[in-house]
Amino acid sequence: MTTYRKVAALGSSYAAGPGIPPIENRAAKRSGNNYPHVVARALGAELVDLTVSGATTSTILDTAQRVRRVEFEPQIASLPADADLVLVTAAGNDMNYIGSAMKLAAYFTIDRYTGHRLRRWKPPVLPAPTAQQLDSAVKGLARIVTEARLRAPAARVVLVDYLPMVGEHTVPFRNVPFDAAAIDALASVHEQLTAVFTTAAERTGADVVRASQLGVGHELGSATPWIQPLRPLHRLSDSFHPTSDGMNAIAEDLLRTLTRP
């Protein structure tokens, strides 16, 4: 097995780990037990964790990201030149994946408390990424790989896609706060997001850890979900993100990937 001495992580909340203690950076909602931390500890490697919840491929590459009063420079700018392993989870926010789930949760919660009047006035807006969004997400993710290799020439770059949020065991209004049509729409966005990773990997030759497959059977409503349910107001931003068990499962699969050339 190759020895890795410095690991760098780029990405959004599905890498950062909001709601998983300990939180090492509150503005970034970055956990000390997210999958990059678990992998780095297992490897005995130094970790440079640049992940920020809410990041897009643009804020990783070109644009500063502001979270309340904190401004994060583009993550790629802080990628160490001597990193020998770069882990990337991004593009979900380019397609408004989690944002759509949060908006649907808010819509149906308000609808319930207004006696289902809201649906008479305004139907829910179901997520449906456009061809332009999909193309932009692929290009953004592929460019992250290219830029990471330029900045850290000796690094192996590994893409880590997204755990599934909903699946065949997800029951409307029991396991999630929305209806069957919303569940189907979010599953479709996740499927398209998975395809974005596949296409970006094909274009760049990067490795892919397929959390999308790993998490099948662990969606909301399963016996052992790896995704957090809708959280109370003070923890709302943790909703629909990986659990500690989900992060550990991704880390284990990533470590298995690293043993392959």
Side-chain angles (χ1 to χ4, degrees), residues 2-3 25 74 79 93 168 225 235 238-239 251:
T2 303
T3 299
N25 186 309
L79 183 68
N93 290 320
E168 61 177 306
R235 293 186 57 193
D238 304 348
S239 306

Side-chain angles (χ1 to χ4, degrees), residues 9 11-13 15-34 36-37 47-53 72 75:
S12 61
S13 55
I20 300 173
I23 297 298
E24 67 163 21
N25 186 309
R26 293 197 176 279
K29 296 183 177 66
R30 185 188 301 145
S31 170
N33 276 321
N34 58 21
H37 277 81
L47 173 65
V48 179
D49 190 349
L50 301 167
T51 60
V52 181
S53 294
F72 295 93
Q75 294 175 31

Side-chain angles (χ1 to χ4, degrees), residues 9 20 67 88 91 114 120 134-135 190 256:
I20 300 173
V67 182
V88 182
T114 59
R120 300 175 202 164
L134 292 168
D135 182 61
H190 180 261
R256 286 191 292 269

Side-chain angles (χ1 to χ4, degrees), residues 107-112 114-124 173 178-180:
Y107 175 92
F108 283 105
T109 299
I110 294 170
D111 182 59
R112 183 180 62 186
T114 59
H116 302 292
R117 290 196 297 269
L118 188 59
R119 267 178 281 185
R120 300 175 202 164
W121 305 328
K122 184 179 179 182
F173 299 115
F178 28 77
D179 66 9

Side-chain angles (χ1 to χ4, degrees), residues 74-174:
Q75 294 175 31
I76 200 77
S78 298
L79 183 68
D82 60 344
D84 46 26
L85 177 62
V86 179
L87 309 175
V88 182
T89 298
N93 290 320
D94 296 50
M95 295 168 59
N96 201 26
Y97 177 46
I98 304 303
S100 294
M102 297 294 287
K103 288 176 183 177
L104 286 166
Y107 175 92
F108 283 105
T109 299
I110 294 170
D111 182 59
R112 183 180 62 186
Y113 284 107
T114 59
H116 302 292
R117 290 196 297 269
L118 188 59
R119 267 178 281 185
R120 300 175 202 164
W121 305 328
K122 184 179 179 182
V125 178
L126 300 178
T130 64
Q132 183 177 1
Q133 281 179 304
L134 292 168
D135 182 61
S136 178
V138 169
K139 288 178 178 176
L141 194 57
R143 190 175 153 220
I144 291 171
V145 175
T146 301
E147 290 293 327
R149 287 171 173 162
L150 288 172
R151 290 173 180 269
R156 181 176 183 179
V157 182
V158 181
L159 300 175
V160 181
D161 71 7
Y162 287 63
L163 288 172
M165 180 194 311
V166 295
E168 61 177 306
H169 299 292
T170 308
V171 179
F173 299 115
R174 181 188 302 172

